[in-house]
Amino acid sequence: MAATDGEPLQKWKYLQNILSRRGPFTDPDWEPGMTSLETLADMKILVIGAGGLGCEILKNLALSGFKDIHVIDMDTIDVSNLNRQFLFRQADVGKPKAEVAARFVEKRVKGVQITPYCGKIQDKDEGYYMQFGMVICGLDSIEARRWINAMLVGMVDGDNPDSLKPLIDGGTEGFKGQARVVLPTMTSCIECQLDMHAPRAAVPLCTLATIPRQPQHCIEWAHIIAWEEERKEDTLDTDDPEHITWLYNKALNRAKEFNIPGVTYSMTQGVVKNIIPAIASTNAIVAASCCNEAFKVATSTAPPLGMPEESNYMMYTGDDSVYTYTFEHQKKDDCPVCGNLARKLDVNAKSTLEEFLESLAERPEAQLKKPSIRSEAKTLYYQFPQSIEEQTRPNLKKRLEELVEDGEEVVVTDPAFQLPFKFKLAFRQ
């Protein structure tokens, strides 16, 4: 067996045990041999996120034989990242994560090429994502996950097998985490699984507006109330330093007014982006699981999560001993991304349209932030442009039974997502 690109085979000796012999779960059609190592070297793979999970994923992929890796991240390195994002050093603070991570791994693992992009995943079009063999996500944002999920599902063309790009997603919250494999249009997608990521509990608006008791209340007031009153025409970008600084200053002034200590820039960022404290060991375990699945997908040495009739979701908990569990999350026919049916919602016919739209932010199956809505017959309310918002604003105070019929389908859109959501409203009896 020849080495790849003139490298000594000894470098990949640990892979020979896997690639040169069958295992108990190996597909019968799989042929052992180091040609799989060449497959790894030739496959172009995309990593989204170069933070806590992303650093681990990049390192693992490079040490597993992948040589053509691309990475996207829009953030710069903060001093708070250094305790767990091990590819960064003090001198890197302020630099783009994607660039620093790429150069570090290239320096330590000879022969690997990592191409960084500093920006949003939304900056790239379908043609960009079509070039990759698979996509691995190490994100801390549900919105970004939903966007890339919708993109990959929409790319699938039944006449072009290469248009199906496996999506491997990892996520962590403290001592808990998950890894999952999505085969677009074949298995349940991230939108199907959205109800497993329940939105955080809301603080009553009366508390935010009148009697804040905690620094987080002051930040939420700036986020929800002050921004809407003073910068309504601007769409809040939680990754824009100018927007976070504005919220921080507003929250700090309100905290001083009520003699509440503790408001900081990092806390403001954490509250607005709903950042959960990260544990380095959890990142390492979940990233290892993601890269293990990537290796199985690329080499066919064992069935990965997500294959038909197999588990597609792995959960890990490390807060009470060490426990993992895998199960199959079912594909939903009423999924707005990969399904073809409208999702049924039980609603109170007496509630107003405004109350219904507010509930879409709290519903686990929706989690929409600035929804606009139209029925089968007419536009009920649009957030943008301002002229249509003014025309449809009176509908917000009307009851649902005045605007739609029982069982009628409505279409809801949100500027954060590139797809419409179809719901069938069923009035509660």
Side-chain angles (χ1 to χ4, degrees), residues 25 78 95 164 174 232 313 337 381 398 423:
F25 305 106
D78 185 79
K95 298 178 183 178
L164 192 152
K232 186 177 182 179
Y313 201 109
V337 173
Y381 178 71
K398 294 181 180 179
F423 299 109

Side-chain angles (χ1 to χ4, degrees), residues 1-29:
M1 295 179 289
T4 60
D5 297 339
E7 293 177 329
L9 190 58
Q10 187 69 19
K11 177 177 180 179
W12 305 111
K13 185 177 181 180
Y14 65 95
L15 286 179
Q16 293 184 52
N17 292 331
I18 300 173
L19 300 178
S20 62
R21 62 183 182 181
R22 296 184 179 278
F25 305 106
T26 304
D27 191 287
D29 296 331

Side-chain angles (χ1 to χ4, degrees), residues 59-134:
K59 175 261 294 181
N60 290 348
L61 291 176
L63 293 175
S64 297
F66 292 95
K67 288 189 173 183
D68 191 356
I69 306 170
H70 291 238
V71 58
I72 292 181
D73 196 295
M74 64 179 296
D75 287 343
T76 55
I77 299 165
D78 185 79
V79 68
S80 63
N81 303 146
L82 302 181
N83 70 328
R84 63 192 180 280
Q85 298 176 23
F86 59 92
L87 300 183
F88 310 138
R89 300 293 183 265
Q90 183 71 42
D92 299 322
V93 171
K95 298 178 183 178
K97 287 185 177 181
E99 290 184 359
V100 175
R103 300 293 83 83
F104 191 104
V105 176
E106 284 183 336
K107 183 178 179 180
R108 294 293 294 270
V109 185
K110 302 301 181 184
V112 66
Q113 179 180 354
I114 302 180
T115 305
Y117 174 72
C118 305
K120 299 181 179 180
I121 57 174
Q122 293 88 346
D123 295 343
K124 300 297 187 179
D125 59 12
E126 182 176 308
Y128 174 80
Y129 293 106
M130 192 66 76
Q131 66 181 308
F132 299 105
M134 75 178 82

